[in-house]
């Protein structure tokens, strides 16, 4: 555990990187703010990947955490940006690629997933409509193009070679890419009506397994354990209540929960025995609950309702919620739990960033390095790197 003394806040000069040395990438359409930066530590804390925004374009660089020396990046060209990105292992990243069209400056996600080593080497499109093309600098065997959207379900920490993804077929298939003007026909509403399949995807060879299952509903989110075993799924047609399923004997069995039509799953604990979710309670909306699957019972976690998912402080692996606040930026966080290392760290720093939304965005496995993301009422994001050894924060961007 960290010491209880007040942590020292040290803001250093903002890091500056030349965008000419790295590709301009574009991000995907959900899960983050593509017009602002992001930062994530490798599990061992040796490297830090940062999405940097320059002249509206989002590029990825990798630096050594200790020295901040640039060691790698990726180059996708002028009309592409980096989207969501993840450390799949200590030395390899997986990310979404987004595309811009000449007539539309808003990035679009056409399902492509890209993997690259921390130093910028061995980069490959591992999923998507261009994955079948020969990649510059790659000796990997050409594979068939996939006209679909790839979404990461699990990074499979127990399996360094693979990730678990869902694959959603793309209406129109190759026709959308033979005629660029037809790509604007791909709308989120269409995606939300489609069913997906689940696969293991090798982040080196690009080999994708056969389908393990098909989603029980359109617009499905899948829940799996660290080994990739599917456990739950939930989804629904647009505008209809969420339906919940358990995976039993390789089939999806719908289960009834003591919830209302306003039910919104948030996260599951590591054992997948409990679920945190938002739901209505009487006339109050967005109340925070935990559901125990073993006892088929629920408990309200916080006495205030009207909560926004963005104002729930969660562990970096998203398996628990340890603090909440209302969304007026002025109310203090209510600490629900400080029994784990991340909750304890958060409780120590919360007073430093009063009036802001706070997220422990990333940390090394040994707890030596942390990245804290803050957001004020002006919607501007700030990122800070904390060194436990130095007991100091440094502003990144």
């Amino acid at each position: 555990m960290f010491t209880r003394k007040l942590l020292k806040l040290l803001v250093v000069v903002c890091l500056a990187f030349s965008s000419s040395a790295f590709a301009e990438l574009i991000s995907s359409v959900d899960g983050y703010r593509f017009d602002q930066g992001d930062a994530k530590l490798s599990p061992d804390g040796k490297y830090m990947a940062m999405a940097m925004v320059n002249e509206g374009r989002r590029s990825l660089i990798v630096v050594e955490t200790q020295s901040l020396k640039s060691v790698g990046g990726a180059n996708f060209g002028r009309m592409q940006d980096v989207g969501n990105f993840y450390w799949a292992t200590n030395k390899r990243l997986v990310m979404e690629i987004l595309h811009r069209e000449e007539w539309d400056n808003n990035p679009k996600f056409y399902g492509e997933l890209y993997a690259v080593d921390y130093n910028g080497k061995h980069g490959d499109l591992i999923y998507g409509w261009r994955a079948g093309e020969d990649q510059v600098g790659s000796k990997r065997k050409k594979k068939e193009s996939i006209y679909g959207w790839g979404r990461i379900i699990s990074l499979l920490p127990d399996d360094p070679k693979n990730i678990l993804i869902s694959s959603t077929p793309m209406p129109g298939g190759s026709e959308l890419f033979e005629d660029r003007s037809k790509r604007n026909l791909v709308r989120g509403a269409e995606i939300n009506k489609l069913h997906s399949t689940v696969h293991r995807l090798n982040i080196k060879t690009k080999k994708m397994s056969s389908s393990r299952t098909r989603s029980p509903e359109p617009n499905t989110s899948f829940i799996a354990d660290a080994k990739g075993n599917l456990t739950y799924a939930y989804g629904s047609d647009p505008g209809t209540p969420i339906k919940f399923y358990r995976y039993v004997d390789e089939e999806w069995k719908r289960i009834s929960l003591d919830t209302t039509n306003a039910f919104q799953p948030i996260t599951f604990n590591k054992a997948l025995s409990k679920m945190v979710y938002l739901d209505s309670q009487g006339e109050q909306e967005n109340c925070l609950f935990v559901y125990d699957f073993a006892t088929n019972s629920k408990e309200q976690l916080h006495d205030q309702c009207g909560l926004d998912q963005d104002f729930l402080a969660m562990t970096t692996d998203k398996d628990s919620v340890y603090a909440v606040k209302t969304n007026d930026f002025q109310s203090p966080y209510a600490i629900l739990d400080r029994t784990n290392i991340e909750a304890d760290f958060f409780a120590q720093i919360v007073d430093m960033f009063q009036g802001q939304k706070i997220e422990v965005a990333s940390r090394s496995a040994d707890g030596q390095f942390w990245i804290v993301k803050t957001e004020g009422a002006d919607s501007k994001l700030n990122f800070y790197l904390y060194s436990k050894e130095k007991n100091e924060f440094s502003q990144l961007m």
Side-chain angles (χ1 to χ4, degrees):
M1 285 294 180
F2 292 93
T3 61
R4 299 292 178 181
K5 66 181 179 179
L6 181 66
L7 302 177
K8 178 182 176 184
L9 179 63
L10 173 65
V11 179
V12 299
V13 64
C14 181
L15 300 179
F17 298 95
S18 169
S19 62
S20 62
F22 297 94
E24 293 175 342
L25 313 120
I26 190 162
S27 63
S28 137
V29 288
D30 61 11
Y32 61 95
R33 306 255 291 279
F34 74 85
D35 60 333
Q36 300 206 41
D38 200 0
K40 294 177 182 177
L41 291 159
S42 61
D44 62 7
K46 186 175 181 179
Y47 302 107
M48 180 168 51
M50 295 189 292
M52 309 289 289
V53 178
N54 182 42
E55 297 182 350
R57 296 299 195 262
R58 203 167 184 258
S59 59
L60 188 78
I61 65 168
V62 178
V63 301
E64 292 179 347
T65 306
Q66 288 275 20
S67 67
L68 301 182
K69 176 185 175 182
S70 176
V71 294
N75 192 335
F76 296 151
R78 185 177 64 86
M79 298 301 291
Q80 300 170 68
D81 298 70
V82 133
N84 287 312
F85 63 95
Y86 311 90
W87 285 96
T89 68
N90 285 323
K91 293 188 176 182
R92 193 159 176 81
L93 297 114
V94 177
M95 66 198 72
E96 299 171 345
I97 299 178
L98 288 182
H99 294 257
R100 296 179 190 264
E101 306 292 356
E102 290 82 353
W103 59 87
D104 184 0
N105 199 42
N106 292 320
K108 297 291 190 300
F109 180 51
Y110 293 119
E112 293 181 307
L113 299 177
Y114 183 84
V116 65
D117 289 350
Y118 75 99
N119 56 8
K121 296 181 179 180
H122 305 123
D124 259 319
L125 283 162
I126 58 173
Y127 177 99
W129 56 281
R130 294 183 301 169
E133 300 176 2
D134 292 327
Q135 303 299 311
V136 176
S138 172
K139 298 180 180 180
R140 287 165 179 74
K141 184 178 180 181
K142 181 176 178 179
K143 65 174 288 185
E144 185 178 352
S145 295
I146 301 172
Y147 295 96
W149 288 275
R151 298 285 190 184
I152 297 175
I153 299 171
S154 172
L155 296 172
L156 300 179
D158 294 339
D159 182 357
K161 295 182 179 180
N162 296 284
I163 58 176
L164 192 69
I165 69 165
S166 64
S167 176
T168 307
M170 188 172 290
S174 62
E175 184 180 357
L176 289 173
F177 300 96
E178 293 167 358
D179 184 350
R180 291 169 63 89
S181 65
K182 291 185 179 180
R183 295 186 196 175
N184 63 1
L185 299 175
V186 179
R187 302 295 185 191
E190 294 178 350
I191 300 171
N192 292 342
K193 295 179 181 179
L194 302 173
H195 286 261
S196 306
T197 51
V198 176
H199 309 261
R200 282 183 184 259
L201 176 62
N202 190 295
I203 60 175
K204 281 282 191 179
T205 67
K206 308 191 289 187
K207 183 178 180 180
M208 190 168 78
S209 73
S210 58
S211 171
R212 297 180 58 185
T213 187
R214 182 176 183 268
S215 62
E217 296 286 338
N219 192 29
T220 290
S221 295
F222 298 92
I223 307 300
D225 64 18
K227 296 183 180 298
N229 300 311
L230 293 166
T231 306
Y232 302 110
Y234 56 90
S236 66
D237 284 304
T240 64
I242 291 173
K243 301 180 181 67
F244 198 87
Y245 294 82
R246 188 193 298 268
Y247 200 55
V248 181
D249 296 330
E250 299 185 348
E251 291 186 0
W252 292 110
K253 305 287 187 181
R254 187 176 175 186
I255 59 177
S256 297
L257 305 176
D258 183 16
T259 58
T260 75
N261 289 343
F263 164 63
Q264 301 176 55
I266 302 297
T267 191
F268 295 75
N269 66 349
K270 279 188 174 63
L272 300 180
S273 60
K274 294 182 180 180
M275 169 183 63
V276 176
Y277 64 101
L278 292 172
D279 203 357
S280 295
Q281 171 113 309
E283 296 182 357
Q284 294 183 304
E285 297 180 349
N286 289 343
C287 306
L288 188 66
F289 295 90
V290 60
Y291 202 99
D292 189 321
F293 292 106
T295 61
N296 197 33
S297 62
K298 66 180 182 180
E299 177 186 356
Q300 190 167 349
L301 290 179
H302 187 51
D303 56 6
Q304 291 189 37
C305 294
L307 301 175
D308 187 320
Q309 182 174 345
D310 287 341
F311 288 81
L312 304 178
M314 303 172 62
T315 52
T316 52
D317 58 10
K318 308 301 181 188
D319 73 348
S320 69
V321 175
Y322 52 76
V324 301
K325 72 178 298 183
T326 56
N327 57 1
D328 59 5
F329 286 96
Q330 298 305 316
S331 64
Y333 274 91
I335 307 297
L336 305 179
D337 171 38
R338 60 182 302 165
T339 59
N340 65 67
I341 187 173
E342 293 186 35
D344 185 60
F345 175 75
F346 186 91
Q348 293 182 65
I349 68 170
V350 68
D351 289 339
M352 294 181 183
F353 304 103
Q354 291 183 16
Q356 299 182 72
K357 184 171 70 175
I358 309 167
E359 178 186 347
V360 179
S362 182
R363 74 174 179 94
S364 59
D366 62 5
Q368 292 299 312
F369 293 102
W370 303 69
I371 293 176
V372 175
K373 178 170 67 175
T374 67
E375 179 184 355
D378 60 0
S379 297
K380 181 181 178 181
L381 301 180
N382 292 289
F383 293 83
Y384 302 87
L385 174 66
Y386 172 72
S387 166
K388 182 182 178 183
E389 180 182 1
K390 298 177 180 179
N391 197 30
E392 294 175 351
F393 279 86
S394 303
Q395 186 169 355
L396 297 172
M397 48 180 156

